[in-house]
Amino acid sequence: MAAVTYSRLRHLLRLSVRRTGPETNPGPLCSGQTRRCQRSVDSKALQERQKQQMARGLPKQKPITGVKRVLVVASGKGGVGKSTTAVNLALGLTANDPTKSVGLLDADIYGPSIPKLMNLKGNPELTDNNLMIPLTNYGIPCMSMGFLVDDVAPIVWRGLMVMSAIEKLLRQVDWGSLDYLVVDMPPGTGDVQLSITQNIPIAGAVIVSTPQDIALLDARRGAEMFKKVNVPVLGLVQNMSVFQCPNCNHQTHIFGSDGARQLADTLGVKLLGDIPLHLNIRETSDRGTPVVVSSPDSPEAEAYRKVASVVVQRLEEVST
């Protein structure tokens, strides 16, 4: 009833203005225009104040001591080969240019994979300044929550403890001097991702996905998240792109074909490369001997090195 009455009143006011003319009774129309203009100005001012308050509330980004560039390897969901890609990307960077020093940070607090993939065990030692010294294998210094807990111990922590652990992994590690720090991010778009992107400057993000539609949906969410927090998306890696039978060499696209390529086109980013679904990648990963170092002449290792090369190329493009 109130809405009808208000609508009727507005109609009567418009009729009044038309009958009296703007010169004799300009009040209602001009007053309405003034109120609308004022509301528009107030709305813009409110949005500006909200942006300023949010900016003040965010932590200031502080570089990691000794690290020139941070690369994050992310995925919208688990099980798409993100950690395997992160490990072989780090090794591919050093294989392509041995003069570059590369480190690897496992930011997946609940499910750390780097210790297994890099065949590393033990607790980090401390420097005189109480900084953790990364464990090293294949020339890659690594840090992971997996070094600080038992292999089978579940990490049942609430958000604040996870954030505290991330802060320690970022700030209380003696990385020495690194050209690249590759960060294996946890799957999804949650607190850890936001905390890392807000606390340290990130040179670029690599999104890993299979060609499967359900994986691509989450990969797109991941890419959009990085765009929202102003992190350059270097491109997508299409993992498990094709399976080749070891007996007859017949190729089968188990998870679909070119899904990540189409998503890259949609997002306006580059497809960094295709990684095949190959038994050699799985076996070498399970043994802790990544394919880039254990089978450097294989087509699988070459695929990872090509991805690493394109990543460096994209870094130069986004930094200019």
Side-chain angles (χ1 to χ4, degrees), residues 228-306:
K228 283 183 178 294
V229 294
N230 298 318
V231 171
V233 178
L234 301 179
L236 273 69
V237 174
Q238 183 165 250
N239 199 27
M240 309 182 200
S241 59
V242 64
F243 172 74
Q244 180 171 300
C245 176
N247 297 319
C248 65
N249 294 326
H250 176 73
Q251 291 189 342
T252 303
H253 297 276
I254 295 176
F255 296 106
S257 61
D258 289 334
R261 188 183 303 275
Q262 293 167 7
L263 177 59
D265 291 341
T266 300
L267 295 174
V269 300
K270 191 177 184 68
L271 181 70
L272 300 173
D274 292 273
I275 306 298
L277 176 63
H278 201 283
L279 186 63
N280 193 26
I281 296 177
R282 197 273 299 168
E283 290 179 339
T284 56
S285 296
D286 285 349
R287 289 198 302 264
T289 57
V291 69
V292 169
V293 291
S294 60
S295 304
D297 297 327
S298 66
E300 304 83 61
E302 177 62 21
Y304 282 117
R305 288 195 299 270
K306 285 182 178 179

Side-chain angles (χ1 to χ4, degrees), residues 6-300:
Y6 180 69
S7 176
R8 177 64 177 167
L9 178 60
R10 290 183 61 188
H11 178 66
L12 291 174
L13 288 172
R14 290 196 188 97
L15 288 178
S16 175
V17 171
R18 292 193 187 102
R19 288 168 182 167
T20 57
E23 293 184 359
T24 58
N25 190 8
L29 180 61
C30 292
S31 177
Q33 289 177 336
T34 302
R35 285 195 298 272
R36 284 194 293 272
C37 291
Q38 185 62 43
R39 282 197 297 268
S40 177
V41 171
D42 291 344
S43 176
K44 291 179 180 179
L46 177 61
Q47 291 176 2
E48 187 62 31
R49 285 199 300 272
Q50 288 174 340
K51 287 182 181 179
Q52 293 173 357
Q53 290 172 356
M54 290 179 65
R56 286 199 298 268
L58 293 176
K60 290 185 178 180
Q61 289 186 334
K62 181 182 177 183
I64 300 174
T65 302
V67 177
K68 293 180 181 178
R69 286 175 168 173
V70 177
L71 302 173
V72 296
V73 180
S75 65
K77 68 187 300 106
V80 298
K82 169 185 56 62
S83 296
T84 302
T85 301
V87 165
N88 284 286
L89 171 61
L91 292 166
L93 290 169
T94 57
N96 290 342
D97 189 350
T99 66
K100 299 297 183 182
S101 54
V102 182
L104 187 58
L105 172 61
D106 188 351
D108 194 344
I109 300 298
Y110 294 115
S113 302
I114 298 304
K116 174 71 172 177
L117 291 168
M118 292 293 285
N119 194 26
L120 286 168
K121 291 183 179 180
N123 299 117
E125 296 182 356
L126 297 178
T127 68
D128 294 337
N129 296 326
N130 286 324
L131 297 178
M132 293 182 287
I133 300 175
L135 304 186
T136 300
N137 199 8
Y138 310 118
I140 305 291
C142 304
M143 182 52 62
S144 170
M145 181 56 66
F147 301 148
L148 308 176
V149 298
D150 293 335
D151 290 345
V152 295
I155 301 175
V156 188
W157 288 354
R158 293 186 184 275
L160 289 177
M161 292 184 67
V162 173
M163 293 304 103
S164 177
I166 288 294
E167 179 69 16
K168 286 180 171 58
L169 292 177
L170 290 175
R171 303 295 180 192
Q172 297 184 18
V173 177
D174 183 7
W175 288 107
S177 178
L178 294 179
D179 293 291
Y180 304 107
L181 177 62
V182 178
V183 181
D184 180 22
M185 300 280 272
T189 56
D191 288 344
V192 173
Q193 289 84 349
L194 286 175
S195 180
I196 291 175
T197 56
Q198 291 172 355
N199 277 280
I200 60 174
I202 295 175
V206 174
I207 310 295
V208 181
S209 179
T210 63
Q212 189 179 9
D213 288 347
I214 193 68
L216 292 168
L217 285 172
D218 292 324
R220 180 166 190 169
R221 293 187 183 100
E224 295 292 354
M225 182 208 73
F226 285 115
K227 288 183 177 181
K228 283 183 178 294
V229 294
N230 298 318
V231 171
V233 178
L234 301 179
L236 273 69
V237 174
Q238 183 165 250
N239 199 27
M240 309 182 200
S241 59
V242 64
F243 172 74
Q244 180 171 300
C245 176
N247 297 319
C248 65
N249 294 326
H250 176 73
Q251 291 189 342
T252 303
H253 297 276
I254 295 176
F255 296 106
S257 61
D258 289 334
R261 188 183 303 275
Q262 293 167 7
L263 177 59
D265 291 341
T266 300
L267 295 174
V269 300
K270 191 177 184 68
L271 181 70
L272 300 173
D274 292 273
I275 306 298
L277 176 63
H278 201 283
L279 186 63
N280 193 26
I281 296 177
R282 197 273 299 168
E283 290 179 339
T284 56
S285 296
D286 285 349
R287 289 198 302 264
T289 57
V291 69
V292 169
V293 291
S294 60
S295 304
D297 297 327
S298 66
E300 304 83 61

